[in-house]
Amino acid sequence: KKICVIGLGYIGLPTSVLLAFSGWKVTGVDINEKIVSYINKGKAHINEANINWLLQEVIVNERLIAKTTPREADVFIIAVPTPINNEFRCNLSYVVEATKSILPYLQKGNTIIIESTIPPGTTEDIVKPIIENESFEIGKDIFLAYCPERVLPGHIIEELIYNNRIVGGCTEKCGLKAKEVYNTFVKGDIFITDAKTAEMTKLVENTYRDVNIAFSNEITKVCNTLNINVYDVINFANMHPRVSILNPGPGVGGHCLAVDPYFIIEKAPNESQIISLSREINNSMPDYVVKQVDNLLKNNSNPKVAVFGITYKGNVNDLRESPAIKISNILRKKGYEVNAYDPLIKENEYNVVSLNTAIKDADILLILADHDEFKFLNYEKIAKYMNSPIIFDTKHIIDEETLSNEIQLINFGNL
Ligand code: SAJ
């Protein structure tokens, strides 16, 4: 059976590889010619565990080939980006272009599955008419479904296999046809619903998490006003059998939590109160961190800041919507010298420097991403290279007990 996957990014490429491994003849399509030729050499342009050797395997045995245009197939999966525009609305142009790009190859009996994260109603209101316009009847000639992914960056391959999946069909038969596709490689349970419910489910999963993080950020601000250590409060509150509060942080980054809630707000702006306020609270955290830095360094004439971690979260080399980059830019605009080190970002990219260069004569060290490497550094030694031994650990990865009182260790619990 042949399948054509449109969009070879974080989702499309691992999905293509797994489909190829489970017996499909896969044509992967991407408009970026560099990515296409890279993939055909068995090289992945995304940084995911295991992806490279898996990709080499399926390229060598010709189960997968990458192209810049689609080919005829039994099934088409659309996994292209759905970025947010400057009015905080979903830019659907890539999804529309991808759908139009497969029309010349569509045949009766084909299944089309959208995996990109899209506002509720998009499959029915935007994608379906494009296909019906070619006088195909959905549910009879062509089977159209929406199937969101929920894989955790850094663990994509294993989660694509073991996570449960929701499949949203435009008709009952569309759902069944899409489920057949995922049954060939998904070991988790597959639940069928309608397209709109599936679209909303995806957004609600991430929005739930964004709201929960906003709650922990808000109680952090409250606790700091009342001189209470928020980490103790969260730790004890989570001992309640039905409470699980997430951790405060320097902001919420990534192309998921920082974006998906806006797709709900776009469709129901008057009803999405907590959702939009949570976005505001999470977006306020970079300024909240900068305010603490201002307070800590107010007596320094030309203060130097060392930053550890510029990615949007630990152990993932993705910079999209990274709060660490927002914080570094705000500090630079305010006249601070900022030198950032990140083990997952090559030196000189995004003016990242070596660890030693970053800490040299720094007046403060800001930890803004929780890379595993940062948990095992010798901060006593690091402090000796700094101008003043102040560490602001916004990710709470350093245990206060392990440091001598030479170092002023700041975190959200003791501001
Ligand atoms: N963060 C906090 N405090 C926390 C947890 C996270 O501030 O307690 C921050 C992180 O530092 C990061 C951001 O939130 O900047 C998002 O990180 P994340 O670990 O919450 O998740 P993502 O964006 O890497 O992946 C999420 C996952 N969704 C859920 O956990 C509900 C993943 O399953 C989704 O597939 C992914 O979004 C996606 O692609 O939609």
Side-chain angles (χ1 to χ4, degrees), residues 11 117 149-153 159 163 202 205-210 213 216-217 245-258 260 311-314 316 321 323 368 370 395:
I11 301 306
T117 303
E149 48 73 28
R150 49 178 51 152
V151 294
L152 192 67
E159 291 215 347
N163 283 3
K202 167 64 186 177
E205 287 165 2
N206 283 346
T207 302
Y208 156 78
R209 192 165 168 84
D210 192 53
I213 296 167
S216 72
N217 285 330
I245 301 166
L246 290 169
N247 302 310
V252 168
H255 60 294
C256 322
L257 271 62
D260 296 3
T311 56
Y312 85 85
K313 75 177 199 178
V316 172
E321 301 296 318
L368 298 178
D370 46 353
K395 298 299 284 186

Side-chain angles (χ1 to χ4, degrees), residues 111-127:
T111 297
I112 301 172
I113 299 166
I114 311 290
E115 288 202 1
S116 307
T117 303
I118 48 181
T122 303
T123 304
E124 300 277 341
D125 304 343
I126 307 282
V127 178

Side-chain angles (χ1 to χ4, degrees), residues 306-330:
V307 164
F308 275 7
I310 63 165
T311 56
Y312 85 85
K313 75 177 199 178
N315 306 320
V316 172
N317 81 334
D318 187 344
L319 299 169
R320 285 178 286 188
E321 301 296 318
S322 162
I325 291 190
K326 289 195 176 89
I327 289 167
S328 304
N329 291 341
I330 296 169

